[in-house]
Amino acid sequence: MDPLLTAAACGVVTLLIVSGTAVLVVRSALGGAESRDRARILGAVAEVVRAVRGKR
């Protein structure tokens, strides 16, 4: 298999895993939260995603 194609496929799979994990974390965090706490929870999840991606 072409190395460039393999790298692209690995990148796509990694992106899908990270985005799926982020969705599960948000759903879990917002499950029992009151509406006044949701903005703070989403901000905290965004910070975690930024840290994992290396943007911060």
Side-chain angles (χ1 to χ4, degrees):
M1 187 179 277
D2 185 27
L4 185 59
L5 182 60
T6 303
C10 287
V12 169
V13 169
T14 302
L15 180 65
L16 288 173
I17 290 170
V18 170
S19 62
T21 303
V23 168
L24 290 175
V25 167
V26 169
R27 286 190 61 170
S28 173
L30 293 179
E34 295 182 18
S35 63
R36 67 175 185 229
D37 297 328
R38 289 184 178 176
R40 193 173 356 162
I41 291 170
L42 291 175
V45 170
E47 287 290 324
V48 170
V49 169
R50 283 188 208 111
V52 167
R53 291 186 61 212
K55 299 288 184 181
R56 182 162 186 175

